[in-house]
Every structure is written in C-alpha cells, then in structure tokens.
Amino acid sequence: MSRRILVVEDEAPIRDMLCFVLEQNGYQTSTAGDFDTAINQLAEPYPDLVLLDWMLPGGSGIQIAKKMKQHELTRSIPIIMITARGEEEDKVRGLEVGADDYVTKPFSPKELMARIKAVIRRVAPTSLDEVIEVQGLKLDPVSHRVMVADTALDMGPTEFRLLHFFMTHPERVYSREQLLDHVWGTNVYVEDRTVDVHIRRLRKAIGDQGHDRLIQTVRGSGYRFSVK
C-alpha cells in the first residue's frame, strides 16, 4: 500500500508541482492551502508524512507542527518543513517544535524525494524482507515464522500480518480503521470489531514470554506496539 503525504503549501503552482512529483514516485497525496484546511486534513485516514510550509494564510506551519505534537494520534507523524526561510535560527526553531527535516526553497524534486525517503526510513527503518527482533520476539517475513528463543510460535496469517505491521510501525497509535486499511486492505469489507478479535488472538500467541504487553490498548483511540 502506497504511503499518503499531506502537502500543506499556499502557493498553488508549488503545491501542484509537489503533488505531481510525489505521485510520480508512487505516493498518494492530499493537499491544504491554508492553516484551517491543514488542521481539518489531520484526521482519518491520517497521512504518513506531512510536507509543511512555514508561512500560511490563517496561521503558520510552526503552529500546525505544535498542534500535531500535542495530540496522540498525530504526534508520531513525521514532518518536513518547506520554506523560503534559510536562516539557521529558523531551521532550529522548526526542528525544536518537532519537524523531522527541513528543505529550503528553491529545491530540486530529487533532493526532496531523498529527504522524504530518509525520514520514512528513520520512522520505519525495516524493509519488508528484513528479520525484525524486539525484546527476543523475532519475526522473519521470508520464512513466515515468529520465534521466541528457538521456539516457533503458532499463529494464523492475519495475526502474522498484524504483528509484522506493528513491529515495523512501533510507538504510534493506530485506530481500528487504520489497521483494517493497512493489514486487511482498503477493498475488503471487515467489521471494526474483527480487529479486536485478531488482537486478542495475537496477544495469546505471543503471550507465553510476556510479549503480549508490547501490544497496548490506547483507550478511545486504538492500539500501539511499544516497548515502553
């Protein structure tokens, strides 16, 4: 499933150019040209990354970044600030409020794509084929096995996909709807509560050594995979 990027930029030609470049590189896009629209776009389905202009009608990118970091459902979404401001103190200020990177206009599409890929790698550093290990729980996507020490755990294919998604997207809260989209796919009709059933099965499958505590219920919001 392709990642979705929210482009927050008040200049329509730049906004259109950014969307064109992103879509050419396989990303889905949504857009906002002012502060209020950007805030309204930060809802389900949440973007995987936000390209955020500094100066906007109705507010600033800095204010949006602060709001994102104050709310549990948006605080883990990576932010790349895009601005004409090149002064060092402005860059520092952007990073201090939670931006993950900073691109100064004018920039080349190639540079922007490199920055986006680097930020996404930092947020979800594992590739689809890499063995992932968290506190002794090891998942191998190629052999389709989950191991604790030398013991293979028994779980169904949906629980395996769910665990793989959680382990490659740690420390971020996902609603049931988001988990359905990411794990089951957008063209499959499944009840929201089905997610709860599979979460219970997954916790049972990995619970013998206490790994079930890694899958945390966030009241009123969804689920998070966390070692904290």
Side-chain angles (χ1 to χ4, degrees), residues 13-132:
I14 296 176
R15 192 167 64 240
D16 293 345
M17 179 273 288
L18 288 169
C19 288
F20 176 77
V21 169
L22 291 167
E23 286 163 12
Q24 288 289 101
N25 281 272
Y27 295 97
Q28 296 176 20
T29 60
S30 53
T31 62
D34 57 61
F35 180 87
D36 290 336
T37 306
I39 294 297
N40 290 334
Q41 288 277 23
L42 288 167
E44 289 193 26
Y46 291 98
D48 294 293
L49 183 142
V50 177
L51 291 180
L52 186 55
D53 193 20
W54 183 292
M55 300 298 293
L56 294 165
S60 72
I62 289 290
Q63 289 172 290
I64 292 172
K66 282 181 178 177
K67 281 181 176 291
M68 286 176 65
K69 297 306 172 185
Q70 286 166 359
H71 294 282
E72 189 158 29
L73 292 173
T74 55
R75 69 166 59 121
S76 298
I77 300 173
I79 300 167
I80 297 179
M81 298 290 293
I82 297 180
T83 178
R85 293 169 176 256
E87 294 85 358
E88 193 67 30
E89 57 269 26
D90 289 331
K91 292 185 181 182
V92 170
R93 190 174 164 211
L95 296 170
E96 280 178 345
V97 297
D100 295 88
D101 203 352
Y102 204 108
V103 182
T104 306
K105 301 174 189 174
F107 53 83
S108 71
K110 195 171 180 181
E111 177 194 3
L112 178 65
M113 292 313 305
R115 297 291 185 92
I116 288 172
K117 286 173 183 173
V119 166
I120 287 174
R121 269 200 307 273
R122 290 204 297 273
V123 174
T126 51
S127 80
L128 292 178
D129 291 337
E130 284 179 341
V131 175
I132 315 151

